[in-house]
Amino acid sequence: MDVISFRTPGLGDQTYLLTHEGKGVLVDPQRDIDRFLRVAAERDVELRLVLETHLHNDYVSGGEQAALRTGAELVLPAAAAPAYRHTPAFHLEDIDGGDGLTLRPVHTPGHTPEHTSYLVFVDGEPAALFSGGSLLVASAGRPDLLGPERARSLARLQYGSLHRLASLPPGIGLYPTHGEGSFCTATGAGRLTSSIAAERDGNPMLAIDDPEEFADALLAAPMPVPTFYQHMGPANTLGVPPMPPVRVPVLDTVPQDTQVVDIRPRQAQATGMLPGSIGIELDVDFGSWAGWLLPYAEPITLVAEADQDVTEAVTQLAQIGIDTVRGVVRDLGGAATQAYELAELDVFVERLAQPDAQFLDVRMHSERERIRLPGAVERFLPDLIKQGIPAELDPERPVLVACASGRRANIAAGLLAREGYRPLVLTGAGVPDVVAALHRRQAA
């Protein structure tokens, strides 16, 4: 038996391909299934089963399309009841994978009510566990994505599920779907894969032996929920079409009634963006931020550099069900007027010391709780769109913007610039670095 993992870092998720005796089992595939099927073909593996651990809240599944493309059997938790053809997985009713491979569904509610993990046996011996959003590496799947009203009930269920899985033989490999960088984790998840033994020894959630205390810990400081999550559950319940083409036409002008998204590097964005556009430089989490900040599934026009490959941007958008990219503009001509400044740490701190400076911190609440700058105006990046630019900020004075690394601050700068503010973005550093630099400055 071999387990091949496929990381999708921007969503903090992993898909797995289990191979055994030339047969394959695909677990929790993302929508862009070609990368999984290509590896299966390269290894001369016949895909027999496609397993889903739950109806995903953070991405559009490729499970149905992978099964249709290959003729594999699609298996979902019995209680999921999606609107397309599948085989229901019932608790402890084994699924024969052939050639000594057996998959045993284990109902593990908590992350979602229907959530099911899959215990893998090879020749009767337990070998691996695909735990989806239940038992994670050093963490657990969050129980509040279906709304605060059900969160505590699901948290109690998650307690039982985690301890049920932790009672399995210690040598079993643990392969969760959600991991570091995912907003589906209750706390910061650690490594990508693990073992039952390692989680017994080191998972802080398993150290809590009371269901109510466990629920308190799980719900104590929930991370924000990206707005596009609300569209993923319905999509995965009803089914989605195959991936659209990832190549889009080059446009001379921006079509009317489209949202312009500038994916160029921040240095290019700072020199000037098209008026009214939003700048989200292309990186592994581009799709997540676009899904969070833009009106969902409205038409999009991308702005890219002349030699920039936009297929990654289109793929990331399609992974969360956004198939509305109309094309890409590569020549802005003289229309780019929405500009701002970038600054390294030393220059940023110098500007912060000037009497007309005002500071905007766009980190999450949990980040600010650990370290904050007194006097800062605090507004989490997505809330700049949801709630608007804070009234405390004076458009006549420079607005110094920072986060943890400069990525979110750069997006915020574009939002400020299009409203007539004069932003200065800290790049390559974060608020903790600013606080430390100010302390050094005061000490000197």
Side-chain angles (χ1 to χ4, degrees):
M1 185 195 80
D2 189 20
V3 178
I4 306 161
S5 63
F6 301 83
R7 178 79 171 150
T8 307
L11 295 171
D13 289 327
Q14 291 204 127
T15 293
Y16 299 99
L17 175 64
L18 180 151
T19 65
H20 177 70
E21 301 294 340
K23 309 299 188 299
V25 179
L26 189 62
V27 183
D28 284 345
Q30 304 269 342
R31 191 183 183 195
D32 50 326
I33 59 175
D34 285 348
R35 55 178 168 147
F36 316 129
L37 303 187
R38 182 168 55 250
V39 171
E42 290 170 353
R43 295 189 173 221
D44 198 24
V45 168
E46 177 192 356
L47 198 62
R48 285 288 186 86
L49 294 164
V50 179
L51 306 181
E52 296 279 15
T53 57
H54 60 295
L55 293 172
H56 302 284
N57 291 296
D58 57 334
Y59 65 87
V60 170
S61 170
E64 181 190 13
Q65 296 301 324
L68 290 172
R69 282 263 298 272
T70 63
E73 182 180 359
L74 176 63
V75 179
L76 279 90
Y84 41 87
R85 185 175 294 277
H86 67 287
T87 296
F90 293 96
H91 179 59
L92 301 184
E93 289 192 7
D94 289 353
I95 301 169
D96 184 10
D99 297 306
L101 183 69
T102 302
L103 299 111
R104 178 169 297 169
V106 182
H107 187 210
T108 46
H111 184 47
T112 63
E114 81 285 350
H115 190 284
T116 297
S117 302
Y118 297 91
L119 181 59
V120 180
F121 292 83
V122 177
D123 296 328
E125 294 296 322
L129 177 72
F130 295 108
S131 60
S134 185
L135 178 62
L136 309 181
V137 180
S139 186
R142 64 189 292 185
D144 61 329
L145 293 179
L146 301 184
E149 299 82 4
R150 305 173 70 183
R152 192 162 192 90
S153 177
L154 286 169
R156 295 190 194 100
L157 290 170
Q158 189 72 298
Y159 171 86
S161 294
L162 259 63
H163 284 269
R164 185 180 307 120
L165 295 180
S167 68
L168 293 171
I172 292 175
L174 178 69
Y175 299 93
T177 299
H178 301 313
E180 185 177 10
S182 171
F183 280 90
C184 285
T185 65
T187 58
R191 303 177 314 279
L192 305 181
T193 61
S194 184
S195 68
I196 296 298
E199 294 313 300
R200 284 185 193 174
D201 292 340
N203 191 318
M205 304 310 298
L206 288 172
I208 304 173
D209 57 9
D210 177 78
E212 295 303 327
E213 290 181 12
F214 178 90
D216 288 341
L218 212 56
L219 300 170
M223 290 191 294
V225 180
T227 55
F228 70 88
Y229 273 29
Q230 64 185 297
H231 303 283
M232 301 298 96
N236 290 323
T237 300
L238 300 177
V240 294
M243 276 273 293
V246 295
R247 296 194 178 278
V248 295
V250 176
L251 306 173
D252 294 327
T253 58
V254 176
Q256 291 185 345
D257 302 322
T258 65
Q259 171 67 63
V260 180
V261 183
D262 195 322
I263 67 171
R264 296 175 300 160
R266 67 186 67 175
Q267 291 78 10
Q269 292 178 8
T271 63
M273 296 193 298
L274 292 177
S277 62
I278 182 171
I280 309 174
E281 60 182 333
L282 183 58
D283 207 333
V284 295
D285 58 352
F286 163 78
S288 291
W289 283 117
W292 202 334
L293 299 174
L294 303 176
Y296 187 76
E298 288 195 3
I300 292 172
T301 297
L302 299 176
V303 172
E305 294 193 310
D307 58 350
Q308 195 171 11
D309 183 4
V310 303
T311 59
E312 175 63 20
V314 177
T315 297
Q316 289 190 34
L317 291 170
Q319 286 175 338
I320 59 172
I322 298 176
D323 300 341
T324 52
V325 178
R326 295 290 182 260
V328 56
V329 173
R330 296 189 181 274
D331 183 4
L332 301 185
T337 60
Q338 188 175 299
Y340 53 93
E341 294 182 75
L342 299 174
E344 300 293 336
L345 181 61
D346 55 346
V347 174
F348 191 88
V349 172
E350 288 289 339
R351 294 285 293 273
L352 190 60
Q354 296 179 9
D356 65 340
Q358 42 190 350
F359 182 73
L360 175 64
D361 183 348
V362 294
R363 296 175 300 158
M364 290 189 296
H365 174 76
S366 59
E367 296 172 282
R368 298 195 300 264
E369 286 295 300
R370 291 192 290 270
I371 187 169
R372 64 200 328 154
L373 183 67
V377 176
E378 298 172 338
R379 182 70 56 88
F380 182 41
L381 172 60
D383 292 335
L384 286 177
I385 291 179
K386 182 179 179 181
Q387 301 173 13
I389 295 174
E392 306 96 294
L393 294 178
D394 181 357
E396 300 301 320
R397 296 158 50 203
V399 181
L400 283 72
V401 193
C403 56
S405 66
R407 177 147 178 76
R408 288 170 292 178
N410 189 71
I411 298 172
L415 298 174
L416 289 163
R418 75 183 189 184
E419 297 298 326
Y421 290 78
R422 293 184 289 138
L424 173 70
V425 178
L426 174 63
T427 187
V431 174
D433 303 294
V434 173
V435 173
L438 289 173
H439 286 164
R440 290 193 299 269
R441 186 185 180 96
Q442 291 170 358

